[in-house]
Amino acid sequence: MTSIIKDTQSIKEAVTFINAVDVNKFSRLISRIIQKLHLKGERTFSEEEEQKLQTALSLDKQALNLVLETAAFILEQAVYHNVKPASLQQQLEAVHLNPDKAEVFSQCWATSGPELVEGLKLNIFAPKKLDYVGWQLNLQMAQSSQARLKSPSAVLQLGLRKEDSEMVIPLVSVLTQRECLNCLNSNGEVKATSEELCKRKTDI
């Protein structure tokens, strides 16, 4: 099987730092990373926690970042290649990671890997639901000499929410009169197409 972890310079440096860390502390570190890895855009550790980790693991900020990034990379590669725990351990030992640290990766991957895969699938495939729609019509008056002329615009706000989350993501768009008309025409075309498809399905 082709190795999913290349023995690059950054991997070598990370391995050196990881091998020097206490195995029990490293086990807790990997458990936290694998629990948070599917939450894209969210930090695994807060700045305060990272400062404490630097002290606990005897690593400076740059070394800690390298360890965290490398650990996350290894787990992401395990997801992408669907590697078996035993194979993951073997490949980590091949890049000179100590057997006890390689076993930590293997055990965490065996116990929490399926949950991580499902979490990543939800992030990729889970559709966003429309939670609410808000709108506001603005009429911008022209110069007083041409007071009869008005420039209408609409502010459209959509609230999107993932099925597995309570957090609503607001999406705001300002539309000109022409854009509003184009939007209405597009909606009409979509509706007509949907009705035609439904009709064909009924006829079948």
Side-chain angles (χ1 to χ4, degrees):
M1 178 180 177
T2 304
S3 176
I4 64 171
I5 304 163
K6 306 300 181 182
D7 195 16
T8 62
Q9 185 59 38
S10 62
I11 290 291
K12 290 178 180 178
E13 292 177 6
V15 165
T16 300
F17 292 131
I18 292 172
N19 284 340
V21 173
D22 176 78
V23 67
N24 294 321
K25 294 178 180 178
F26 185 68
S27 178
R28 292 193 292 271
L29 183 76
I30 295 302
S31 294
R32 175 71 172 271
I33 292 173
I34 202 169
Q35 289 170 6
K36 294 277 191 175
L37 194 59
H38 69 285
L39 302 174
K40 295 298 182 183
E42 182 176 324
R43 292 172 62 113
T44 304
F45 297 96
S46 65
E47 291 186 11
E48 183 180 353
E49 287 174 326
E50 287 187 2
Q51 291 175 356
K52 291 180 179 179
L53 281 173
Q54 291 177 42
T55 302
L57 304 179
S58 300
L59 298 172
D60 60 26
K61 184 175 182 179
Q62 184 176 355
L64 177 63
N65 286 337
L66 180 60
V67 168
L68 295 178
E69 290 171 3
T70 302
F73 170 76
I74 290 171
L75 293 169
E76 287 172 347
Q77 289 298 299
V79 171
Y80 181 79
H81 294 280
N82 192 28
V83 68
K84 302 295 183 183
S87 177
L88 178 62
Q89 181 173 347
Q90 183 180 8
Q91 294 191 43
L92 288 171
E93 291 180 7
V95 293
H96 309 296
L97 192 67
N98 287 350
D100 58 344
K101 307 296 171 45
E103 186 177 359
V104 167
F105 271 107
S106 176
Q107 289 179 347
C108 284
W109 176 239
T111 56
S112 302
E115 185 177 346
L116 171 60
V117 171
E118 288 303 313
L120 290 172
K121 283 181 179 179
L122 285 175
N123 277 347
I124 297 172
F125 299 111
K128 293 182 178 65
K129 289 187 174 181
L130 184 62
D131 195 75
Y132 68 85
V133 177
W135 63 275
Q136 180 180 346
L137 180 64
N138 295 327
L139 293 176
Q140 182 179 356
M141 298 298 295
Q143 296 178 357
S144 57
S145 59
Q146 298 176 326
R148 292 183 180 180
L149 298 178
K150 299 178 182 179
S151 178
S153 65
V155 179
L156 181 66
Q157 182 170 357
L158 306 177
L160 304 178
R161 178 172 58 84
K162 289 185 178 180
E163 291 184 343
D164 61 338
S165 174
E166 294 298 323
M167 184 177 69
V168 177
I169 304 171
L171 181 64
V172 180
S173 181
V174 179
L175 305 176
T176 64
Q177 181 181 16
R178 180 179 295 275
E179 289 170 336
C180 287
L181 291 174
N182 289 339
C183 184
L184 288 173
N185 290 335
S186 297
N187 287 340
E189 291 174 2
V190 170
K191 182 181 178 182
T193 302
S194 298
E195 290 175 348
E196 179 64 23
L197 289 173
C198 290
K199 182 180 178 181
R200 291 181 183 178
K201 185 176 181 181
T202 303
D203 292 341
I204 294 174

